[in-house]
Amino acid sequence: MTSTAPENQRNRADALPKTWNPSEVEVDLYERWVAAGYFTADPASGKPPYSIVLPPPNVTGNLHMGHAFDHTIMDLLTRRKRMQGYEVLWLPGMDHAGIATQSIVEKQLAVDGKTKEDFGRELFIDKVWDWKRESGGAIQGQMRRLGDGVDWSRDRFTMDEGLSRAVQTIFKRLYDAGLIYRAERLVNWSPILETGISDLEVVYEDVEGELVSLRYGSLDDDEPHVIVATTRVETMLGDTAVAVHPDDERYKALVGTTLYHPITGRQIPVVADDYVDPEFGSGAVKITPAHDPNDFELGLRHGLPMPTIMSKAGKIADTGTEFDGMDRFEARLKIRERLAQEGRVVARKFPYVHSVGHSERSGEPIEPRLSMQWWVKVESLAKAAGDAVRAGDTVIHPASQEPRWFDWVDDMHDWCISRQLWWGHRIPIWYGPEGEVACVGPDEQAPEGWVQDPDVLDTWFSSGLWPFSTMGWPAATPELEKFYPTSVLVTGYDILFFWVARMMMFGMFVSDDPAITAGKQADAAQVPFRDVFLHGLIRDEFGRKYSKSKGIGVDPLLWIDEYGADATRFTLARGAQPGSDLSIGTPHVTASRSFITKLFNVSKFALMNGAAPGELPDRGTLTDADRWILDRLEFARAEVDSAFDRYEIGKACEGLYHFAWDELCDWYVELAKVQFAESDERAVSTRIVLGTVLDSVLRLLHPAIPFVTESLWQALTEGAEGESIVVASWPRPSGLAVDEVAAQRIADTQRLITEIRRFRSDQGLTDKQKVAAKLIGLDAADLTAQRAEITNLARLTEPTDDFAATASLEVRLSDSTITVELDTSGTVDLDAERRRLEKDLATAQKDLAGTTGKLGNEAFLAKAPEDVVAKIRTRKEVAESEVARIGARLEEIGRLAASK
């Protein structure tokens, strides 16, 4: 086809590369966006605010697929809002990651045979800062590769001076309010790291251990004794009781008495408690309050002693037995051997598979251990966090996650906030020489000679302040006034209880702070975020959860290198539904790359033919195809907006995918090719319609695939509305009524073309073979105006004077039937076609016989579910239709062969 495009349009098409190669474009394009200041927020702007704070990745981390998923969603939301006219702040930052960062630096020191103690606290912390400056933050460069449109000018770090001030301020306020206290409680203890760790840093794994049944009390069956079972024999050194259920008749006589402890020789009491399950095992359990959470609670109820029998390094200590100094696992073996020699091992089950908590950072089994720690009293804070959701001040998406939220905040336990580390926010508590205790705020000085508490705060404490500390709190700042509360928090449902709950608690605690309320409506709730969008977990194409340690999953940077950032992002965005997990693999990212290639090729075709957005001609002068595609664009835009507003990101992207591929590329562009060839007047209108639709599609797709859409939009518009699609306006409603008549005509045209193509395929015709045909009934079907499109797209030619039909089909449309008569003589290898059809007929007959047999089997019908029977009936109907169709075609081929 000869292009009728103006020369300047052809030049714009030539400016695009022959093919789309993301690696040649993406990096430079991103840096131009940053340099232009498109992502820099202006708190003095009169535009409505939209803000998101980036969940801070660890300074030690690298971009994994979970990050890429999170970041893609946030970037999509902020890019769209920016185009809709909002002043957008997407605030980035990193977490100091206390345990992970300290561990890295300690391992570096160990290479030279050094420990942190060799340097002392201050010098060691200096070394950590050196590491952070030199090696930390690799993920920032990876975020740029992905295309994150964050405001780099406001990049934050949880150990920055401003954020440290926020930590000290809120600690003192909580302490002065009686909400922070020090107490000896049970914590998750890491013997390798020698610190307590949070629940989130404990990973549970099934391991093979042993279940040992031991005899406490007398070895004489006629004397008082009980049998208890344990997987941690070594903890018996800290036993201070044996517990039974109060209604268990077997042990009622023993309650209130004591039993001989087989290792320590002490007499330990037998107590009655509802915690004990009389149906499990022997119905008696050993109680070690300092090394088991349930035992600890029972110990509190019964006032039991709570001796700690392990050192910080996990070695047996202070028991007065020969096991002191042994590693806990060595002691487990030695104690069991001794008890076996004494005849106290009643049974041993090995292997015994059970779930054991391990330290996520150091890998060893954690040890529940009684330890003096700092705690936050959470009851009132958690209630406020729950009430904010109940009142609708913060909305959780999807709503199905709300019950989990309430289950957590309504039954939250006090939070251990201290860690036995050097790297982190040091607890601002000071101790005087006479045992005095003082909490020192950021503008206060500790008395001379006082000593600061050695512990640091849990990383989640500082990241819990993230939504407002990053905007300058406790000072009143323009950022807080403009952008707080933030608009939405995007995160996985798996950390709903850990990070999200802490941010909500702290946010509600400071909600009436003047720095927070400045410039706000008096009745507006100052929650940390208005919406919480909880997405699911990333899984591989087989449904397995991504796991680096198990070798499951893909490094997103590998996908970015091979397929481009756009294809990686679109793969993630298409699966982003509230609360739903996402399974992805190579086939998915390959499909995304194919879509981007399709979009690129169609855009290049449009440019070659002079397409450009402009003022649309009067609708009365447009073709049915033009009006149809404009109406379909408006439908797609409305569906996309509605889905985005509900955080149904995947649904929006899926809708855009099908509109762009199925309707724009596969149908309208093909119809437009015919219109380009009709007349110069028609070509002008078609260029404007195609350019306008493509312009809108690129804008709608930009938040998900920013790089290719920027390149194509620049070529299409020459920056007519602005210098970048990043700051172009989001498509708005057209306000025009849908042309139902045009829609029906195009639907009938599509059906007719599709049926002719299918029939041609059945006849063995290739796409390149054109055949003469008569179309009977076009006038009655009101499709006369579509004759050129039908003949071109169905690969038909006008019949000659000596036309003789050798095949025909009838196509039922919306309210009429069109008969298509074709002359296929000389175009089909009849022998080859007969062989193919005979093979297809045998397959159809076999399926017909099988389904007929099943439906005639009364026993089968009586037992089979209704949906199964319905599917078999459908298969039978399809098989019958195929047998009839293929049979008719074979008869037709027989007649053709006989006439030759």
Side-chain angles (χ1 to χ4, degrees):
M1 180 185 299
T2 301
S3 172
T4 58
E7 191 59 34
N8 69 313
Q9 298 289 348
R10 183 185 300 279
N11 291 339
R12 286 195 291 161
D14 292 342
L16 288 173
K18 184 177 181 180
T19 59
W20 176 247
N21 188 343
S23 63
E24 296 177 354
V25 177
E26 292 177 347
V27 173
D28 289 343
L29 197 53
Y30 180 83
E31 294 306 327
R32 288 207 298 271
W33 289 336
V34 174
Y38 296 144
F39 307 140
T40 303
D42 179 8
S45 165
K47 299 177 182 178
Y50 186 84
S51 57
I52 297 179
V53 290
L54 178 78
N58 287 351
V59 67
T60 61
N62 286 290
L63 188 76
H64 57 64
M65 199 61 85
H67 287 133
F69 191 29
D70 257 353
H71 292 205
T72 295
I73 295 170
M74 285 181 276
D75 195 41
L76 189 151
L77 293 173
T78 52
R79 284 179 184 269
R80 174 174 176 255
K81 286 297 183 180
R82 188 178 293 110
M83 295 173 76
Q84 286 181 314
Y86 287 77
E87 189 63 34
V88 173
L89 170 62
W90 184 16
L91 195 151
M94 288 188 298
D95 192 283
H96 63 279
I99 291 175
T101 308
Q102 179 165 320
S103 296
I104 286 176
V105 178
E106 285 193 85
K107 287 177 182 176
Q108 292 180 344
L109 298 179
V111 173
D112 297 324
K114 301 288 187 180
T115 67
K116 66 181 189 296
E117 286 76 15
D118 292 327
F119 294 89
R121 186 168 192 141
E122 289 188 11
L123 283 178
F124 175 77
I125 291 174
D126 287 343
K127 287 189 173 294
V128 179
W129 276 110
D130 289 341
W131 177 89
K132 190 265 181 186
R133 283 187 287 267
E134 295 172 8
S135 307
I139 198 170
Q140 292 179 329
Q142 296 159 0
M143 289 166 59
R144 300 172 101 92
R145 291 287 311 280
L146 187 64
D148 286 5
V150 297
D151 184 347
W152 290 112
S153 71
R154 289 181 168 83
D155 191 23
R156 297 292 182 263
F157 181 56
T158 49
M159 291 285 285
D160 283 348
E161 182 179 348
L163 273 67
S164 295
R165 182 179 182 86
V167 168
Q168 288 179 286
T169 300
I170 201 162
F171 186 100
K172 182 168 177 58
R173 291 189 187 181
L174 289 165
Y175 182 86
D176 291 346
L179 297 177
I180 287 183
Y181 64 96
R182 194 175 188 225
E184 194 174 38
R185 297 278 184 85
L186 215 63
V187 296
N188 301 312
W189 187 265
S190 167
I192 289 180
L193 301 172
E194 295 192 14
T195 180
I197 60 177
S198 75
D199 291 340
L200 191 61
E201 293 160 330
V202 177
V203 178
Y204 286 88
E205 301 174 5
D206 286 341
V207 300
E208 287 188 357
E210 62 178 7
L211 181 66
V212 182
S213 296
L214 306 173
R215 182 171 179 138
Y216 282 41
S218 176
L219 289 172
D220 186 340
D221 288 345
D222 294 329
E223 297 295 328
H225 67 276
V226 295
I227 305 298
V228 299
T230 182
T231 58
R232 298 194 298 152
V233 175
E234 71 282 4
T235 62
M236 71 180 299
L237 298 173
D239 288 349
T240 55
V242 169
V244 297
H245 193 275
D247 297 330
D248 194 330
E249 294 294 336
R250 294 171 295 176
Y251 301 117
K252 278 199 171 182
L254 287 178
V255 175
T257 67
T258 61
L259 290 173
Y260 173 78
H261 188 283
I263 295 292
T264 66
R266 295 192 303 266
Q267 293 289 323
I268 58 175
V270 178
V271 299
D273 197 282
D274 290 334
Y275 157 71
V276 181
D277 181 1
E279 303 298 324
F280 182 78
S282 68
V285 294
K286 58 186 284 300
I287 303 300
T288 316
H291 293 276
D292 181 274
N294 293 316
D295 292 5
F296 175 74
E297 296 296 332
L298 189 146
L300 288 177
R301 290 195 293 273
H302 294 273
L304 298 176
M306 299 186 180
T308 299
I309 53 96
M310 288 185 203
S311 70
K312 294 178 180 179
K315 296 182 181 296
I316 304 300
D318 302 324
T319 67
T321 68
E322 71 266 32
F323 307 107
D324 281 357
M326 290 184 184
D327 177 81
R328 52 184 171 153
F329 301 116
E330 180 188 4
R332 180 178 299 176
L333 173 64
K334 296 297 184 182
I335 293 171
R336 195 242 305 145
E337 288 178 348
R338 172 177 157 178
L339 293 173
Q341 291 171 0
E342 296 175 2
R344 291 188 176 275
V345 176
V346 177
R348 176 173 175 257
K349 184 177 181 180
F350 178 84
Y352 179 72
V353 178
H354 60 128
S355 182
V356 175
H358 290 69
S359 168
E360 182 183 40
R361 299 296 176 191
S362 48
E364 88 280 23
I366 61 105
E367 183 66 38
R369 184 174 184 270
L370 194 62
S371 178
M372 184 65 75
Q373 303 282 354
W374 285 95
W375 303 81
V376 172
K377 190 181 297 183
V378 300
E379 183 179 3
S380 60
L381 301 174
K383 182 180 184 302
D387 289 347
V389 175
R390 288 187 174 93
D393 298 324
T394 292
V395 179
I396 294 177
H397 304 267
S400 59
Q401 292 287 338
E402 281 190 7
R404 297 179 66 192
W405 170 258
F406 294 129
D407 286 346
W408 180 257
V409 297
D410 292 346
D411 190 31
M412 189 183 292
H413 301 294
D414 286 358
W415 170 22
C416 177
I417 56 171
S418 48
R419 298 291 181 265
Q420 291 64 57
L421 303 170
W422 285 0
W423 172 246
H425 294 284
R426 195 158 175 186
I427 289 177
I429 294 289
W430 293 74
Y431 304 104
E434 303 301 325
E436 305 97 325
V437 178
C439 181
V440 178
D443 296 318
E444 301 172 347
Q445 292 291 327
E448 187 175 348
W450 285 39
V451 177
Q452 189 173 4
D453 194 288
D455 289 351
V456 300
L457 286 164
D458 177 14
T459 296
W460 294 100
F461 190 94
S462 51
S463 59
L465 311 179
W466 194 248
F468 49 91
S469 67
T470 52
M471 295 189 196
W473 186 90
T477 65
E479 285 79 8
L480 279 172
E481 182 174 348
K482 178 74 173 180
F483 296 111
Y484 189 87
T486 62
S487 304
V488 59
L489 173 74
V490 177
T491 190
Y493 63 69
D494 55 328
I495 61 170
L496 172 65
F497 313 132
F498 300 99
W499 185 45
V500 182
R502 283 150 174 73
M503 287 190 290
M504 283 290 287
M505 290 192 299
F506 284 158
M508 298 311 296
F509 182 71
V510 301
S511 61
D512 59 354
D513 186 292
I516 297 291
T517 59
K520 308 289 197 319
Q521 292 181 350
D523 59 345
Q526 304 307 312
V527 291
F529 19 75
R530 300 297 186 197
D531 288 343
V532 176
F533 171 49
L534 298 170
H535 59 72
L537 306 178
I538 297 285
R539 299 183 182 274
D540 72 1
E541 57 199 289
F542 306 107
R544 299 175 300 179
K545 182 179 176 181
Y546 266 36
S547 169
K548 184 177 180 181
S549 62
K550 296 178 180 177
I552 299 173
V554 179
D555 180 347
L557 291 176
L558 295 178
W559 273 9
I560 292 173
D561 288 340
E562 185 170 356
Y563 304 102
D566 285 332
T568 302
R569 292 166 60 110
F570 199 62
T571 302
L572 295 165
R574 284 182 73 183
Q577 291 294 95
S580 299
D581 290 352
L582 168 61
S583 292
I584 54 173
T586 301
H588 302 87
V589 73
T590 302
S592 294
R593 181 180 62 180
S594 297
F595 172 67
I596 290 164
T597 300
K598 182 84 167 181
L599 185 68
F600 180 84
N601 291 338
V602 163
S603 299
K604 196 165 185 179
F605 162 81
L607 289 170
M608 290 177 64
N609 284 275
E615 184 176 350
L616 290 168
D618 183 87
R619 276 176 76 91
T621 67
L622 297 178
T623 66
D624 287 337
D626 293 338
R627 292 195 292 273
W628 167 77
I629 195 63
L630 290 169
D631 289 343
R632 293 305 300 161
L633 171 65
E634 174 58 20
F635 178 82
R637 183 211 58 77
E639 288 290 294
V640 165
D641 273 339
S642 178
F644 276 148
D645 289 342
R646 299 191 305 270
Y647 298 103
E648 294 176 351
I649 310 297
K651 183 177 181 179
C653 291
E654 193 71 11
L656 280 172
Y657 172 90
H658 286 293
F659 172 75
W661 191 304
D662 301 343
E663 297 183 292
L664 174 60
C665 297
D666 281 358
W667 280 108
Y668 182 71
V669 168
E670 296 305 310
L671 295 169
K673 290 178 182 178
V674 181
Q675 295 183 175
F676 279 138
E678 286 184 348
S679 66
D680 288 343
E681 182 180 357
R682 176 63 63 219
V684 169
S685 295
T686 304
R687 288 190 196 109
I688 296 174
V689 171
L690 178 56
T692 298
V693 173
L694 187 57
D695 173 40
S696 291
V697 167
L698 292 175
R699 295 179 198 230
L700 291 168
L701 281 167
H702 173 72
I705 48 175
F707 295 104
V708 69
T709 51
E710 173 74 296
S711 298
L712 296 175
W713 189 81
Q714 289 285 348
L716 179 69
T717 67
E718 292 186 319
E721 187 178 322
E723 55 191 14
S724 170
I725 196 173
V726 174
V727 290
S729 60
W730 185 255
R732 294 180 174 86
S734 68
L736 298 174
V738 175
D739 189 331
E740 300 289 358
V741 174
Q744 189 59 64
R745 287 180 186 142
I746 295 301
D748 284 345
T749 300
Q750 290 172 324
R751 175 166 174 76
L752 179 57
I753 293 170
T754 300
E755 288 301 310
I756 296 173
R757 286 172 171 173
R758 186 189 66 79
F759 187 76
R760 286 171 52 97
S761 176
D762 288 345
Q763 300 291 313
L765 294 169
T766 67
D767 290 341
K768 293 181 179 180
Q769 289 177 302
K770 289 189 174 183
V771 295
K774 285 185 178 180
L775 301 173
I776 302 169
L778 280 185
D779 290 345
D782 197 19
L783 294 183
T784 304
Q786 275 72 42
R787 178 182 290 276
E789 285 84 352
I790 295 166
T791 56
N792 272 275
L793 271 59
R795 308 294 289 164
L796 306 176
T797 62
E798 291 296 325
T800 59
D801 292 339
D802 59 349
F803 174 82
T806 60
S808 66
L809 75 153
E810 290 186 349
V811 182
R812 179 68 184 172
L813 301 180
S814 55
D815 57 5
S816 63
T817 299
I818 288 182
T819 300
V820 183
E821 295 182 345
L822 304 97
D823 178 8
T824 61
S825 59
T827 61
V828 179
D829 182 337
L830 297 179
D831 288 337
E833 181 66 2
R834 181 189 295 110
R835 289 193 297 271
R836 184 182 72 83
L837 289 169
E838 286 173 346
K839 183 178 178 181
D840 291 347
L841 180 62
T843 300
Q845 288 172 333
K846 181 178 179 181
D847 199 31
L848 178 59
T851 53
T852 301
K854 284 187 177 180
L855 293 174
N857 186 333
E858 294 297 333
F860 169 78
L861 294 176
K863 295 179 180 179
E866 272 300 317
D867 60 331
V868 173
V869 175
K871 287 179 181 179
I872 293 174
R873 287 198 181 102
T874 300
R875 280 177 53 199
K876 180 175 180 289
E877 291 170 2
V878 170
E880 288 174 336
S881 175
E882 283 295 281
V883 168
R885 182 184 67 80
I886 297 170
R889 176 59 181 151
L890 283 169
E891 289 180 7
E892 188 175 349
I893 287 177
R895 289 195 301 271
L896 287 172
S899 66
K900 288 191 173 182

